[in-house]
Short mmCIF file of all heavy atoms in Angstrom, two decimals:
data_model
loop_
_atom_site.label_atom_id
_atom_site.label_comp_id
_atom_site.label_asym_id
_atom_site.label_seq_id
_atom_site.Cartn_x
_atom_site.Cartn_y
_atom_site.Cartn_z
N TYR A 162 39.44 6.46 -0.52
CA TYR A 162 38.70 6.86 0.68
C TYR A 162 39.64 7.31 1.79
O TYR A 162 39.19 7.88 2.79
CB TYR A 162 37.83 5.71 1.17
CG TYR A 162 38.54 4.38 1.24
CD1 TYR A 162 39.33 4.04 2.34
CD2 TYR A 162 38.45 3.47 0.20
CE1 TYR A 162 40.02 2.83 2.40
CE2 TYR A 162 39.11 2.25 0.25
CZ TYR A 162 39.89 1.94 1.34
OH TYR A 162 40.58 0.75 1.39
N VAL A 163 40.94 7.07 1.65
CA VAL A 163 41.91 7.51 2.66
C VAL A 163 42.38 8.91 2.28
O VAL A 163 43.21 9.09 1.38
CB VAL A 163 43.10 6.54 2.77
CG1 VAL A 163 44.11 7.08 3.79
CG2 VAL A 163 42.63 5.16 3.17
N VAL A 164 41.83 9.91 2.95
CA VAL A 164 42.17 11.31 2.65
C VAL A 164 43.37 11.77 3.48
O VAL A 164 44.23 12.50 3.00
CB VAL A 164 40.96 12.22 2.93
CG1 VAL A 164 41.29 13.68 2.66
CG2 VAL A 164 39.77 11.78 2.07
N ARG A 165 43.45 11.31 4.73
CA ARG A 165 44.56 11.69 5.61
C ARG A 165 45.23 10.42 6.12
O ARG A 165 44.70 9.74 7.00
CB ARG A 165 44.05 12.56 6.78
CG ARG A 165 43.62 13.96 6.33
CD ARG A 165 43.08 14.76 7.49
NE ARG A 165 41.74 14.30 7.86
CZ ARG A 165 40.63 14.73 7.27
NH1 ARG A 165 40.70 15.61 6.30
NH2 ARG A 165 39.45 14.28 7.66
N ASP A 166 46.38 10.11 5.54
CA ASP A 166 47.09 8.89 5.89
C ASP A 166 48.12 9.16 6.98
O ASP A 166 48.47 10.32 7.27
CB ASP A 166 47.80 8.32 4.65
CG ASP A 166 47.92 6.81 4.71
OD1 ASP A 166 47.87 6.26 5.83
OD2 ASP A 166 48.06 6.20 3.64
N SER A 167 48.59 8.08 7.59
CA SER A 167 49.64 8.21 8.60
C SER A 167 50.95 8.59 7.93
O SER A 167 51.18 8.27 6.76
CB SER A 167 49.80 6.89 9.36
OG SER A 167 48.60 6.51 9.99
N PRO A 168 51.86 9.25 8.65
CA PRO A 168 53.13 9.66 8.05
C PRO A 168 54.04 8.47 7.78
O PRO A 168 54.03 7.48 8.52
CB PRO A 168 53.73 10.60 9.09
CG PRO A 168 53.08 10.21 10.39
CD PRO A 168 51.71 9.75 10.04
N LEU A 169 54.82 8.58 6.71
CA LEU A 169 55.76 7.52 6.35
C LEU A 169 57.04 7.56 7.16
O LEU A 169 57.74 6.55 7.29
CB LEU A 169 56.09 7.61 4.86
CG LEU A 169 55.08 6.98 3.89
CD1 LEU A 169 55.40 7.41 2.46
CD2 LEU A 169 55.08 5.47 4.01
N ASP A 170 57.38 8.73 7.70
CA ASP A 170 58.67 8.88 8.36
C ASP A 170 58.65 8.45 9.83
O ASP A 170 59.69 8.46 10.50
CB ASP A 170 59.15 10.34 8.27
CG ASP A 170 58.13 11.32 8.83
OD1 ASP A 170 57.01 10.89 9.16
OD2 ASP A 170 58.44 12.52 8.90
N VAL A 171 57.48 8.08 10.37
CA VAL A 171 57.39 7.61 11.75
C VAL A 171 57.73 6.13 11.78
O VAL A 171 57.14 5.34 11.03
CB VAL A 171 55.99 7.86 12.34
CG1 VAL A 171 55.88 7.28 13.73
CG2 VAL A 171 55.67 9.35 12.34
N PRO A 172 58.68 5.70 12.62
CA PRO A 172 59.04 4.28 12.66
C PRO A 172 57.88 3.43 13.16
O PRO A 172 57.09 3.87 14.02
CB PRO A 172 60.22 4.24 13.65
CG PRO A 172 60.07 5.48 14.47
CD PRO A 172 59.47 6.51 13.57
N PRO A 173 57.72 2.22 12.63
CA PRO A 173 56.61 1.36 13.06
C PRO A 173 56.73 0.96 14.52
O PRO A 173 57.82 0.74 15.04
CB PRO A 173 56.74 0.14 12.13
CG PRO A 173 58.16 0.13 11.69
CD PRO A 173 58.57 1.57 11.62
#
Side-chain angles (χ1 to χ4, degrees):
Y162 47 83
V163 178
V164 179
R165 289 178 286 275
D166 210 337
S167 301
L169 278 168
D170 56 353
V171 176

